[in-house]
Amino acid sequence: MCAKPVDTAAKSLPEGGKARRVYLQLLDGITRGTYPDGAALPAEQRLCVELGVSRVTLRRALDALEAEGLIDRRAGAGTRVRTPQQKPKMSADFSTLMPQLVQMGHETTARLLSFSYGVPPAAVANAMRISPTALVQTATRLRLIDGQPFSHLTTYVPEHIARNYSESELATSPLFRLLERSGVEVETADQSVSATLAGPEVAGHLGLSVGAPLLTLNRVVRDAEGRGVEYLAALYRPDMFKLQMTLSRVGAGDARHWEPVVNPTRAEAAE
Amino acid sequence: MCAKPVDTAAKSLPEGGKARRVYLQLLDGITRGTYPDGAALPAEQRLCVELGVSRVTLRRALDALEAEGLIDRRAGAGTRVRTPQQKPKMSADFSTLMPQLVQMGHETTARLLSFSYGVPPAAVANAMRISPTALVQTATRLRLIDGQPFSHLTTYVPEHIARNYSESELATSPLFRLLERSGVEVETADQSVSATLAGPEVAGHLGLSVGAPLLTLNRVVRDAEGRGVEYLAALYRPDMFKLQMTLSRVGAGDARHWEPVVNPTRAEAAE
């Protein structure tokens, strides 16, 4: 089973083309603060001269930046780098990295892309501390906010746990809830965050160009015996999802150090 | 002032070329677990058939993956996806996001790329809650581990604080130490993590291809009055730097929730 790629925001700039080069140069300027959040970009005519490209090429690059939510273009008002307030539609509580899905009144939904049983990749078996020949359920889901995909999730769950819930339940409920309902005693989780590029398949599903940047999160959830009960490989659109936290500097003298400010009323969500 | 780009690991694949496409397809496979960490890639001959490219093209893609630390190639032993144990040379305590620079016996150094006084980008002034016309010191540094650059740091510090330390001190000491020595009473920090692509300049400094993925961290450090005393825009090579944390599930019943496991003996470092 494979869902049709979402094409709402997909603007494909051929790699190696002039438009892609201009796109990367403007992205570089946005990232490095030459074109800071909220600021107006130079007029199109000036940008064409600065970057040595035609209006058509510039506009294709701007189309891609707009599709990825990095700029706003309004007739008569020029082009502005999007202010941070408009950008991240989702954020995660940094002290736990558990995204808060039930915030800001936005509706999130999930779409099941694939669902199967088989042996896990060696690294997944290794991280979960399960036999490399043990059967696991592998599921790939998209998570959407207001109908737009912002994360691509691949989860691995040992078969004896996964048999407690159905494919259709997985499409509608957070996996975490299903695990707890299955009697799993979740004890710890190890997480790691990094960055990668969107390959053709993921780019299609998330409505991005191939080669667009993605935030990655890998998580192994363990039970009281240290056995892996879930392995999550998550890919997030960085324009729609950020990890945020506040630290407080506490203590005195040599004992002074940073501590995360934890929001005790945070919603609990799984991915 | 602009340091010469490091060319040790830079393998430039022209965007749009066949080698770049193959590179992205293999990267996709590594990211999504088709070629999991530690696993052998199919033999070159088979990959050429699968991907429909010549041996020369395949090897250029493999060169780039190797240069970015994603695969190991050994004569007679084939090509393996690098295991996680070999990959991240640096990691950050996730509960604070303060990288632990003094770990694993590796030597880290810094290289000052630029140093100047001027008005900050509007978004930086806004985040720091300082006047958009106030002078700030802008410094760009590379941080290296065992001589190899892994992060590109741009910092903004209000002039009246920055005048307390010199350009050469900034090249050798973590900024955080210099701020504290300057009498700044640091109180809170707001941080946000995301992903972006390397533009031409940053790619050159970090020894990456243009368009390679980067992990980004933006941090505003504030004093007791809420005024920004430092704004940091950091870019990290994802193959050399990961954010990692362990969570523990605590409490009972409805009050059961995740809490970060904080390592109380962690080293304190600034960027």
Side-chain angles (χ1 to χ4, degrees):
Chain A
M1 188 172 80
C2 194
K4 223 179 105 202
V6 179
D7 58 2
T8 45
K11 297 280 168 189
S12 146
L13 292 182
E15 291 217 321
K18 276 189 193 169
R20 168 90 181 168
R21 175 174 66 74
V22 169
Y23 162 85
L24 282 171
Q25 281 180 285
L26 292 172
L27 182 67
D28 197 32
I30 292 170
T31 306
R32 305 192 61 229
T34 315
Y35 308 124
D37 276 328
L41 286 190
E44 290 194 6
Q45 208 170 347
R46 204 178 118 200
L47 277 178
C48 289
V49 174
E50 276 181 14
L51 301 166
V53 292
S54 71
R55 200 82 165 227
V56 172
T57 300
L58 176 69
R59 287 194 172 157
R60 293 190 51 226
L62 293 174
D63 285 347
L65 290 168
E66 188 177 29
E68 289 172 16
L70 294 165
I71 58 169
D72 275 324
R73 293 152 92 189
R74 281 187 206 148
T79 301
R80 287 190 174 268
V81 178
R82 276 216 181 173
T83 56
Q85 292 86 320
Q86 295 167 267
K87 240 190 295 182
K89 298 193 174 168
M90 293 292 308
S91 68
D93 182 318
F94 225 129
S95 65
T96 62
L97 281 196
M98 298 294 175
Q100 301 183 12
L101 295 180
V102 209
Q103 68 181 18
M104 294 184 287
H106 287 290
E107 191 196 356
T108 71
T109 51
R111 186 185 300 158
L112 190 61
L113 299 179
S114 70
F115 182 91
S116 63
Y117 284 89
V119 294
V124 170
N126 193 36
M128 295 181 87
R129 296 178 201 149
I130 60 173
S131 157
T133 59
L135 280 188
V136 298
Q137 175 205 84
T138 305
T140 311
R141 284 173 297 159
L142 284 183
R143 196 163 274 283
L144 304 86
I145 184 161
D146 297 341
Q148 197 181 351
F150 72 93
S151 71
H152 180 282
L153 312 164
T154 306
T155 52
Y156 304 88
V157 176
E159 188 200 15
H160 66 97
I161 299 170
R163 292 289 184 200
N164 292 305
Y165 54 87
S166 69
E167 189 172 334
S168 64
E169 284 177 312
L170 191 61
T172 52
S173 304
L175 177 53
F176 196 78
R177 296 251 156 78
L178 299 174
L179 292 182
E180 292 202 318
R181 205 197 61 187
S182 306
V184 170
E185 289 235 24
V186 166
E187 191 83 9
T188 58
D190 289 311
Q191 310 192 116
S192 145
V193 169
S194 193
T196 191
L197 302 180
E201 191 176 330
V202 171
H205 287 305
L206 290 178
L208 295 170
S209 327
V210 172
L214 294 172
L215 188 65
T216 69
L217 188 155
N218 289 300
R219 178 190 301 157
V220 192
V221 180
R222 300 182 198 284
D223 66 11
E225 278 76 48
R227 281 176 307 223
V229 295
E230 178 197 342
Y231 184 97
L232 166 69
L235 303 168
Y236 298 98
R237 277 183 65 144
D239 60 320
M240 294 181 68
F241 183 85
K242 281 192 171 45
L243 298 171
Q244 289 177 310
M245 77 182 300
T246 298
L247 299 176
S248 184
R249 191 118 177 114
V250 298
D254 282 353
R256 199 155 164 82
H257 64 283
W258 288 109
E259 270 184 15
V261 177
V262 177
N263 172 9
T265 62
R266 67 179 181 271
E268 188 78 37
E271 65 243 345
Chain B
M1 188 171 76
C2 193
K4 220 176 109 203
V6 180
D7 59 2
T8 46
K11 297 280 169 189
S12 147
L13 292 183
E15 290 216 322
K18 277 189 192 169
R20 169 87 180 170
R21 175 174 66 73
V22 169
Y23 162 85
L24 282 171
Q25 282 180 285
L26 292 172
L27 182 67
D28 198 31
I30 293 169
T31 306
R32 305 193 59 230
T34 315
Y35 308 124
D37 276 329
L41 286 190
E44 291 192 6
Q45 210 170 346
R46 204 180 116 200
L47 277 177
C48 289
V49 174
E50 276 181 15
L51 301 166
V53 293
S54 71
R55 199 81 165 227
V56 172
T57 301
L58 176 68
R59 287 194 173 157
R60 290 189 53 225
L62 293 174
D63 284 348
L65 290 169
E66 187 176 30
E68 289 171 17
L70 294 164
I71 58 169
D72 275 325
R73 294 153 92 190
R74 280 185 207 150
T79 301
R80 286 190 174 269
V81 178
R82 276 213 180 177
T83 56
Q85 293 86 323
Q86 295 168 270
K87 240 191 294 181
K89 298 192 175 170
M90 293 291 309
S91 68
D93 182 319
F94 225 131
S95 64
T96 61
L97 281 196
M98 298 296 178
Q100 301 183 12
L101 295 180
V102 208
Q103 68 180 20
M104 295 183 289
H106 287 290
E107 193 198 354
T108 72
T109 51
R111 186 185 301 159
L112 191 61
L113 299 179
S114 70
F115 182 92
S116 63
Y117 284 90
V119 293
V124 170
N126 193 38
M128 295 180 85
R129 297 177 201 149
I130 59 174
S131 156
T133 58
L135 279 188
V136 297
Q137 175 204 83
T138 304
T140 311
R141 283 172 299 158
L142 285 183
R143 196 163 274 283
L144 304 87
I145 183 161
D146 296 341
Q148 198 181 351
F150 73 94
S151 71
H152 181 282
L153 312 163
T154 307
T155 51
Y156 303 89
V157 176
E159 188 200 14
H160 66 98
I161 299 171
R163 292 289 183 200
N164 291 305
Y165 54 86
S166 68
E167 188 172 335
S168 65
E169 283 177 311
L170 190 62
T172 52
S173 304
L175 176 54
F176 195 79
R177 296 254 156 77
L178 299 174
L179 293 182
E180 292 201 319
R181 204 197 62 187
S182 305
V184 170
E185 288 235 24
V186 166
E187 191 84 7
T188 59
D190 288 311
Q191 309 192 117
S192 145
V193 169
S194 193
T196 191
L197 301 180
E201 190 175 329
V202 171
H205 286 306
L206 291 178
L208 295 170
S209 327
V210 172
L214 294 172
L215 189 65
T216 69
L217 187 155
N218 288 301
R219 178 189 301 156
V220 193
V221 180
R222 301 182 196 285
D223 66 12
E225 278 77 49
R227 282 175 307 223
V229 295
E230 177 196 344
Y231 184 97
L232 166 69
L235 303 168
Y236 298 98
R237 278 184 66 145
D239 60 320
M240 294 180 68
F241 183 85
K242 280 192 171 44
L243 298 171
Q244 288 176 309
M245 78 180 301
T246 298
L247 299 176
S248 186
R249 191 115 178 117
V250 298
D254 283 354
R256 198 157 166 82
H257 64 282
W258 289 109
E259 270 184 16
V261 176
V262 177
N263 173 9
T265 62
R266 67 180 182 269
E268 187 78 39
E271 66 246 345

